[in-house]
Amino acid sequence: MIALKRNRLGIILASCARHGFLAIMCIIMVAPFAVMTSASLKSSSEIMGGGLSFLPQDGWFALENYGRVLTEVPILRYMLNGLFVTGSILFMQLLIGIPAGYALAKLQFRGKNLIFGGVLLGIMVPAQVTALPIYIMLYLMGLTNTYASLILPFIVSAFGIFLFRQFFRGISDDLLNAARVDGLGETEIIWRIVVPIARPAIIAFGIFSIVAHWNDLFWPLVAISDSDLAPPPLGILFFRNQEAGDDFGALMAAAVIVTTPLILVFLLAQKHFVQGIAMSSQHKPQQE
Amino acid sequence: MLPHAQKKQSPSNRTLHAYTFSMPAALLLIVLVIVPVIGVALISTTDWRLGEKSFEFVGMKNYIKLFADSLFQRSFLNTIVYVLIVVPITFSLALGTAIVIESGRTFKTFYRTVIFLPATATVVAMAIVWDFMLHPTLGIFNIVLDAVGLQGHNWLRDEGLTLYVLAAIGVWFRVGYLMVLFLAGLATIPPSLYEALAIDGVSNPWDRFRYVTWPLLGATSAFAATIATIQAFQTFETVAVLTQGGPNDATELLLHTMYVEAFQFFRTGYAAALTVVFLVLILSVTLGRSVLTNMREKHA
């Protein structure tokens, strides 16, 4: 009886320790978001006063802060730039990557191993390494400081091709042969049979690509000097360096506006995020 | 003849398709990866400055200059210190958190969602938030320290401290991503193995970790360590937003140094040499990891 009680006590203690540890982790993870939201609602003078309350004490300044961001900075334009650039990149990556992944997974041709080797090399070389020569190429073509300069360097994703190849290899050849007997051409097979089956891999890759390019600062900083073309990360940096200065209320409002879309996408499509990360680790190149 | 039989394709037709499907990707990989890598290696042997018409081949001079340059030495050392702090802490914190989440049944999705949040947030925006939190007079850190009677710090302007502050922010950004990797890995471990251990009388959490979790998580751990190391080497945003490498080059990391040399000073040849060094570092992480994996498989 006593032993049983001790055991139950142990379970309760373990559960408390688990929730205690995880609650601390959660607080650390959420704190910057809370500080950001809180300051975006407060007046400059209250922020200068250094209070610790989450909600404003000397009146709400949300309208002023968000209003300042929306009227003084083309923040919506930055968001549309980001949407257009990430959307175009993903569209081209799928258009080029899906057929290539299919050819590497399901068709026989000379040079296949060579191309696959190129894909593996492409995965290993970080984008910052090719930035300088690609910048020079774009400069010589007169394309720096254009939307094209933000999109073109990324229209082929070696990681995407690799992921698609791995996934397509799991599709049964009997199914593809049956489709061929039914008179479907290879192009139709890709878009009407393979793509619907591979939806989880395509969504996972899409999320990966959107997060990577929406967040990228390095390349826009290199390629763009005209602030009208800036995607959100570069735009908010312009705002801080040129307009906001120490107006932290407005700066935090801008951070809220820029951060919210991806967080909403994540909260709505969480399952796909998690699946995508799991897939990227299970289909890793080094496992070949 | 049946109408659909006319469209039936021959295998040689399929080969033709294979080329049309893979050629755009192959050509783009040549133009956007292979040519640039060769290009950057060639440029690193010249004294070229972007915009100038002429240049000369200088052999290994850029590399000799690079390794003698105190800024590069500082940047290289900082990067190694940064990686050696960020990777082990992120790795163990992520693994620990994943195991703790999986050890119970309640609030699993909630904890996973909240801890993953920083990984989805726009890095530059959150770096600006950290800048505000670390502000010497208005930031929450110093306000809280002051409230409990402790001395605050000038977190982002302190030569002996700022690199560690950046490392802590780096952990904050990445721990959720690695945790999700580990959660996926833990989900593949069959519960029957833990039951077998329990039958053998092993129920202590450390033994469960030592005999089942850690060995079966081998592939996930190797992947997580590699990806965390490569991402830590690629740190750029936090330096560019928070410190620009200062104070006194104390937080100068390789990628930021490369950016400044290449795109602010336009010392193209010199920056190309730095890029080659950076590429060699990244490749040795990836290749080193495959060598280790192969060795382990041979000995297993």
Side-chain angles (χ1 to χ4, degrees):
Chain A
M1 194 61 192
I2 291 167
L4 198 70
K5 257 189 187 157
R6 194 176 288 159
N7 200 0
R8 263 188 64 191
L9 191 68
I11 289 170
I12 291 168
L13 277 179
S15 172
C16 284
R18 171 175 180 262
H19 289 300
F21 171 74
L22 292 173
I24 292 171
M25 283 296 289
C26 287
I27 290 169
I28 297 172
M29 293 298 144
V30 170
F33 296 97
V35 168
M36 166 175 86
T37 314
S38 166
S40 79
L41 307 172
K42 291 179 180 171
S43 68
S44 283
S45 59
E46 185 171 351
I47 294 172
M48 294 293 175
L52 279 174
S53 76
F54 178 74
L55 290 176
Q57 303 293 303
D58 319 338
W60 287 61
F61 267 70
L63 273 180
E64 287 82 349
N65 289 334
Y66 287 90
R68 187 169 171 213
V69 176
L70 291 171
T71 52
E72 284 179 30
V73 200
I75 192 103
L76 294 177
R77 166 143 203 168
Y78 298 153
M79 310 276 276
L80 286 177
N81 287 342
L83 200 66
F84 175 65
V85 169
T86 47
S88 308
I89 289 174
L90 179 60
F91 176 77
M92 292 304 289
Q93 285 176 337
L94 294 177
L95 191 70
I96 291 165
I98 290 174
Y102 175 75
L104 289 172
K106 290 294 179 190
L107 301 175
Q108 299 308 321
F109 58 102
R110 282 184 65 182
K112 183 167 147 176
N113 289 337
L114 198 66
I115 294 178
F116 189 59
V119 170
L120 291 183
L121 186 76
I123 293 176
M124 287 193 284
V125 175
Q128 299 92 348
V129 167
T130 52
L132 181 58
I134 289 178
Y135 178 80
I136 294 168
M137 288 189 220
L138 291 168
Y139 175 82
L140 295 176
M141 289 191 284
L143 283 176
T144 50
N145 218 9
T146 61
Y147 281 118
S149 69
L150 290 175
I151 297 167
L152 287 178
F154 305 107
I155 57 175
V156 67
S157 165
F159 172 67
I161 297 172
F162 182 83
L163 195 68
F164 296 144
R165 170 194 179 263
Q166 298 303 88
F167 204 90
F168 295 166
R169 265 153 56 111
I171 296 173
S172 102
D173 285 319
D174 292 343
L175 181 71
L176 301 180
N177 284 329
R180 286 176 189 131
V181 171
D182 279 349
L184 257 63
E186 294 298 314
T187 316
E188 289 165 297
I189 289 180
I190 293 182
W191 302 110
R192 286 170 53 185
I193 296 180
V194 171
V195 164
I197 296 175
R199 250 191 64 174
I202 293 169
I203 292 176
F205 172 72
I207 287 172
F208 164 85
S209 167
I210 289 170
V211 172
H213 294 292
W214 179 271
N215 278 336
D216 187 27
L217 174 68
F218 187 86
W219 181 253
L221 208 51
V222 167
I224 294 296
S225 53
D226 178 356
S227 68
D228 277 352
L229 302 175
L234 188 58
I236 194 174
L237 207 57
F238 279 142
F239 178 53
R240 185 189 69 167
N241 296 347
Q242 284 158 18
E243 311 271 342
D246 269 351
D247 185 354
F248 282 109
L251 200 51
M252 292 302 112
V256 170
I257 295 173
V258 167
T259 314
T260 306
L262 267 196
I263 289 188
L264 282 184
V265 171
F266 162 63
L267 292 176
L268 294 174
Q270 221 194 113
K271 202 184 77 195
H272 296 295
F273 267 75
V274 173
Q275 263 179 7
I277 292 176
M279 209 178 281
S280 70
S281 69
Q282 279 147 22
H283 291 287
K284 52 191 173 283
Q286 290 89 347
Q287 228 173 28
E288 281 297 290
Chain B
M1 209 188 219
L2 292 167
H4 70 250
Q6 293 172 332
K7 274 173 73 182
K8 202 171 162 188
Q9 33 168 340
S10 62
S12 69
N13 190 4
R14 218 179 288 163
T15 311
L16 191 69
H17 273 110
Y19 285 114
T20 38
F21 292 157
S22 53
M23 263 321 121
L27 288 177
L28 285 167
L29 282 172
I30 292 173
V31 175
L32 295 174
V33 179
I34 296 172
V35 168
V37 168
I38 297 170
V40 85
L42 284 178
I43 295 169
S44 77
T45 64
T46 70
D47 64 354
W48 190 41
R49 298 172 71 104
L50 191 63
E52 281 179 14
K53 293 259 184 297
S54 68
F55 61 84
E56 273 175 43
F57 283 98
V58 294
M60 299 308 268
K61 262 196 190 143
N62 281 327
Y63 292 91
I64 295 165
K65 228 166 72 186
L66 193 63
F67 283 100
D69 179 355
S70 63
L71 174 65
F72 171 76
Q73 291 169 355
R74 190 77 197 265
S75 175
F76 189 90
L77 203 68
N78 284 343
T79 307
I80 301 290
V81 170
Y82 178 88
V83 169
L84 286 180
I85 296 170
V86 169
V87 175
I89 295 179
T90 312
F91 184 95
S92 17
L93 203 55
L95 177 58
T97 309
I99 290 175
V100 171
I101 287 180
E102 277 302 308
S103 73
R105 266 171 306 192
T106 43
F107 296 115
K108 279 186 183 184
T109 313
F110 172 79
Y111 287 133
R112 187 191 68 196
T113 307
V114 172
I115 296 171
F116 187 71
L117 219 49
T120 62
T122 306
V123 180
V124 172
M126 293 322 288
I128 287 175
V129 175
W130 278 102
D131 190 34
F132 172 50
M133 296 204 300
L134 296 164
H135 191 283
T137 52
L138 310 178
I140 191 164
F141 282 90
N142 280 358
I143 292 176
V144 169
L145 285 177
D146 191 52
V148 297
L150 288 173
Q151 180 73 45
H153 292 278
N154 197 349
W155 304 99
L156 296 171
R157 300 280 178 279
D158 183 330
E159 254 186 86
L161 183 69
T162 303
L163 187 62
Y164 304 106
V165 173
L166 287 191
I169 297 173
V171 172
W172 181 83
F173 269 117
R174 294 186 186 88
V175 76
Y177 174 77
L178 279 205
M179 176 199 70
V180 169
L181 276 180
F182 283 123
L183 284 172
L186 288 173
T188 63
I189 299 177
S192 59
L193 289 173
Y194 293 110
E195 285 155 22
L197 266 191
I199 289 166
D200 288 342
V202 181
S203 61
N204 158 342
W206 170 243
D207 286 335
R208 284 158 59 96
F209 176 75
R210 204 157 50 120
Y211 293 126
V212 177
T213 315
W214 182 248
L216 285 174
L217 226 46
T220 306
S221 303
F223 180 75
T226 315
I227 203 97
T229 311
I230 289 176
Q231 285 179 354
F233 270 115
Q234 287 176 289
T235 302
F236 173 76
E237 276 89 350
T238 40
V239 180
V241 174
L242 294 171
T243 66
Q244 289 90 45
N248 251 327
D249 306 331
T251 60
E252 201 54 77
L253 298 185
L254 280 178
L255 215 47
H256 186 258
T257 316
M258 189 259 263
Y259 168 76
V260 170
E261 292 290 345
F263 301 106
Q264 290 187 342
F265 298 152
F266 293 106
R267 291 199 279 202
T268 312
Y270 188 70
L274 212 165
T275 309
V276 170
V277 173
F278 179 72
L279 178 62
V280 169
L281 272 173
I282 295 277
L283 289 183
S284 50
V285 174
T286 317
L287 298 175
R289 181 243 136 120
S290 345
V291 170
L292 279 179
T293 314
N294 286 341
M295 263 167 51
R296 211 169 39 194
E297 271 159 16
K298 265 178 208 148
H299 288 288

